[in-house]
Amino acid sequence: MFATLETRINNAVNAKLSNATALIAGLEVHGTFSNEYVVELGAEGSSPVFKCIEYDIPTLVRNQSISITYQSVTTSYTVGTINRDGAGMAMLILEAA
Amino acid sequence: MAASIALQIAQAVAVLLTVPEMTSVAAAQVRTEPIHPADVEHGAALNIELGDEPPAERTLIGFKDRVTELKLTAIAAGASAVSSADELITEAHARLMSDESLGGLSFDIAEAGVNRSNSTNGRRLSVIEKTYLVHYQTTESSL
């Protein structure tokens, strides 16, 4: 019952807020992309993150190449880490390919 | 007003590490006492920073023996960040040790510790921080 409700909420939120499409092993996955300015170890850069529904990426692994289309621009990335929140959503920490 | 010997040391190190340009870092990316974070999007960077100084010792009447920390920080990004930072600090160390007197400002450069860190800021990032102890002498009335 709760799992069903959680899935419905995740789907509704993702459908409403998704702003990008990831191409992962030939499959399109919709989610939320952000790429904020960060400073790490004294070097500036950006922090590309893609948030999506966990069951959309069942076979995704670290170091896998994916591409993200955001605001009509497609960029290739490597998956750094996959942060599953335990509530059906996953946050992919990406690195420039 | 003349610059302190410590600042002159940092400036001399900057010249040593940029003329001629090193193979592993562009001269423009060698930064002395930087305020802003490094931009390593298009190449590695090397920071030159002075650190703390212990109390000076009066070994001769009228003179003070002083020691200043000098920190070189190699920052590299990308798939080969670890090897690029390693190559950079290795070249910088060799260049620094090629003139330990720094044109007469110093009478010894001793090696201190090394810190290595890896992370990501959208690209793989590797930082190697190497500290030196630069010994120099001034008159009692000057720095």
Side-chain angles (χ1 to χ4, degrees), chain B:
Chain B
M1 195 71 171
S4 68
I5 299 296
L7 185 57
Q8 290 181 53
I9 284 170
Q11 292 164 342
V13 170
V15 172
L16 196 59
L17 298 180
T18 52
V19 184
E21 190 171 79
M22 293 198 291
T23 58
S24 52
V25 65
Q29 288 280 71
V30 178
R31 310 180 316 148
T32 306
E33 300 291 346
I35 295 168
H36 301 294
D39 175 6
V40 289
E41 182 72 20
H42 304 294
L46 181 66
N47 292 346
I48 302 165
E49 293 166 290
L50 294 172
D52 294 337
E53 294 189 29
E57 291 182 12
R58 187 184 186 206
T59 51
L60 284 172
I61 293 171
F63 292 91
K64 288 283 180 68
D65 282 359
R66 303 179 189 273
V67 181
T68 183
E69 281 185 354
L70 173 77
K71 192 168 67 180
L72 300 183
T73 306
I75 309 170
S80 57
V82 172
S83 58
S84 295
D86 182 76
E87 184 183 331
L88 173 48
I89 203 69
T90 301
E91 185 178 8
H93 174 75
R95 187 71 74 89
L96 182 64
M97 289 298 149
S98 70
D99 180 12
E100 288 191 54
S101 77
L102 298 173
L105 293 170
S106 154
F107 57 82
D108 182 44
I109 300 177
E111 291 186 53
V114 176
N115 290 312
R116 292 182 172 86
S117 304
N118 299 306
S119 187
T120 177
N121 67 347
R123 307 178 73 209
R124 291 185 184 187
L125 195 62
S126 184
V127 172
I128 303 175
E129 190 178 276
K130 183 161 179 57
T131 304
Y132 298 87
L133 299 174
V134 182
H135 296 253
Y136 64 101
Q137 192 176 63
T138 67
T139 61
E140 275 191 319
S141 60
S142 69
L143 292 175

Side-chain angles (χ1 to χ4, degrees), chain A residues 54 57-61 82-91:
Chain A
E54 187 179 345
I57 54 165
T59 61
L60 187 69
V61 293
I82 304 170
N83 183 354
R84 294 177 172 85
D85 72 356
M89 298 297 289
M91 189 163 66

Side-chain angles (χ1 to χ4, degrees), chain A residues 3 6 25 27 29-31 36 47 52 73 76 81 83 96:
Chain A
E6 190 175 74
L27 294 175
V29 175
H30 298 287
E36 293 179 4
S47 178
C52 61
V73 176
S76 296
T81 59
N83 183 354

